Amino acid sequence: MFLQGQELNNETVQSEFLLLEFSNIRGLQIPLFIGFLAFYLAAVVGNILIISAVASDHHLHTPMYFFLMNLAILDVGQVSIIFPKAMANSLMNCRHISYSGCVAQVLLYVFFIVSDFFLLTVMAYDRYVAIGNPLQYEKLMNKQSCIQIITTVWILSFCSAVLHTGGTFAAPFCSNVVNQFFCEIPHLLKLACSESNLFETGVLSLVVIFSLVCCIFIVVSYVHIFAVVLRIPSVRGRQKTFSTCLPHLIVFSTLIVTGYFAYLRPTSNSTSHLDLAFTLVYTMVPPLMNPVIYSMRNKDIKHALTRLFGICWSSSKVFSSLVLQK
């Protein structure tokens, strides 16, 4: 059934879409809402803590933590694009999303996920320069260079998001039932009246090529990094270097593997639990892993958070004493 659509020669001009329900059982929708709310709050609060720690502590005003702060910003945006809408639909027993809302969701989500991917590549380069060529690090990774790199990442990601969004919504849709809990490109392309979308196929091919180049670059960077690390005579020095590199490698591997299965494997016309599982992994795990890995295993972040909480606690005590005096 097409909702609020105008039929033109067996094609439909959609004004809204129907998203996938997590469960048809009303009794399970409230527990699912609570579970996703807990995840969402954990991801957002964890990443905001990283942003606050890096921004407030001048000891962390280095390229590595500058990129980490930007990664946290992207993760907050990524989860905020899709999960609040999915939670609201689950709570209100609703499946609707407007056409413009779907377009905005695709545009912003692709922007954040591509930025995430490019930024992880940049972070690999940063570690490569810091460990493999430390004498040139300050020259190559100065403040101006870092700002230029981030600006380039955001511009390229936005261009990629515009191309993907334009290619996805260029063809008319013959259905408005999306077999996913948010507007995901592979499932939207399944709804197109035309079986082949050459523009989006070309854009996807270009993105795959860029992804492979980035993957090769990261692998080569870490091969050189580990070769240098293994030559460090100090066991403590090797452990410290591995502790800064392995978390980044784990996050990147999770993102690329799950994203590959979600976007490049054939999608089915019916609801697939495997599709849903892969989507939940690549949308939920990396934004939640970053705060855990980078804060729990990083002494500098933990010290910055301790100082930040100490300042907040002292400020609250001063404020309380002033209120009581009045």
Side-chain angles (χ1 to χ4, degrees):
M1 180 180 69
F2 299 144
L3 290 178
Q4 300 178 10
Q6 299 175 354
E7 293 188 4
L8 297 172
N9 299 325
N10 295 327
E11 296 176 356
T12 303
V13 180
Q14 302 294 343
S15 61
E16 63 180 23
F17 293 92
L18 292 177
L19 299 176
L20 177 68
E21 293 178 300
F22 287 111
S23 175
N24 294 323
I25 304 173
R26 180 59 183 168
L28 293 178
Q29 290 176 347
I30 299 301
L32 285 171
F33 168 80
I34 295 173
F36 281 109
L37 179 62
F39 151 75
Y40 176 72
L41 292 177
V44 170
V45 171
N47 282 288
I48 288 178
L49 286 175
I50 288 181
I51 296 169
S52 302
V54 176
S56 63
D57 194 329
H58 70 277
H59 296 99
L60 301 183
H61 292 176
T62 63
M64 182 179 76
Y65 292 109
F66 174 72
F67 294 137
L68 178 59
M69 182 178 69
N70 277 271
L71 184 66
I73 293 172
L74 294 174
D75 286 339
V76 171
Q78 178 185 328
V79 295
S80 298
I81 290 302
I82 57 176
F83 283 101
K85 177 62 178 176
M87 290 188 297
N89 282 356
S90 178
L91 184 64
M92 296 184 295
N93 195 24
C94 173
R95 299 174 57 190
H96 302 270
I97 185 171
S98 65
Y99 184 91
S100 59
C102 192
V103 172
Q105 200 173 64
V106 170
L107 177 69
L108 293 174
Y109 186 74
V110 172
F111 168 73
F112 285 121
I113 201 74
V114 173
S115 297
D116 216 7
F117 187 81
F118 283 154
L119 188 55
L120 288 170
T121 307
V122 170
M123 292 172 72
Y125 174 72
D126 173 72
R127 292 299 83 205
Y128 167 73
V129 177
I131 296 171
N133 196 4
L135 298 179
Q136 296 293 319
Y137 183 73
E138 291 187 5
K139 180 181 178 180
L140 294 174
M141 302 300 293
N142 54 57
K143 182 179 179 179
Q144 184 178 359
S145 298
C146 292
I147 293 174
Q148 289 175 348
I149 289 171
I150 289 298
T151 303
T152 303
V153 165
W154 285 41
I155 291 174
L156 290 176
S157 301
F158 183 75
C159 292
S160 176
V162 170
L163 290 174
H164 271 298
T165 306
T168 302
F169 292 93
F173 297 103
C174 288
S175 174
N176 68 340
V177 181
V178 183
N179 288 317
Q180 191 54 273
F181 67 94
F182 72 104
C183 291
E184 192 179 35
I185 290 178
H187 292 277
L188 287 171
L189 293 177
K190 281 287 183 181
L191 308 181
C193 297
S194 174
E195 292 185 359
S196 62
N197 189 329
L198 296 179
F199 181 78
E200 176 59 19
T201 302
V203 173
L204 184 60
S205 302
L206 188 63
V207 170
V208 169
I209 293 172
F210 271 109
S211 301
L212 289 175
V213 171
C214 290
C215 288
I216 292 172
F217 178 83
I218 289 176
V219 170
V220 171
S221 297
Y222 274 100
V223 168
H224 285 286
I225 288 172
F226 291 145
V228 173
V229 171
L230 292 175
R231 292 199 296 267
I232 297 177
S234 169
V235 175
R236 186 176 180 181
R238 287 199 300 268
Q239 291 177 344
K240 183 178 180 180
T241 307
F242 276 125
S243 67
T244 60
C245 294
L246 287 179
H248 169 263
L249 199 56
I250 292 170
V251 171
F252 177 81
S253 300
T254 304
L255 179 64
I256 193 65
V257 171
T258 55
Y260 171 82
F261 279 104
Y263 274 83
L264 297 184
R265 78 182 197 86
T267 55
S268 59
N269 292 320
S270 59
T271 302
S272 169
H273 294 294
L274 189 60
D275 285 338
L276 182 60
F278 276 120
T279 303
L280 288 174
V281 170
Y282 88 85
T283 54
M284 293 176 66
V285 174
L288 196 58
M289 282 177 62
N290 290 340
V292 174
I293 290 177
Y294 289 112
S295 61
M296 299 300 292
R297 294 177 57 85
N298 190 299
K299 293 182 179 179
D300 294 332
I301 293 287
K302 287 192 287 187
H303 290 161
L305 288 174
T306 302
R307 286 192 290 268
L308 181 63
F309 285 131
I311 293 172
C312 292
W313 175 252
S314 300
S315 300
S316 64
K317 288 178 66 177
V318 171
F319 179 77
S320 300
S321 62
L322 290 173
V323 171
L324 290 174
Q325 288 175 3
K326 292 181 180 180

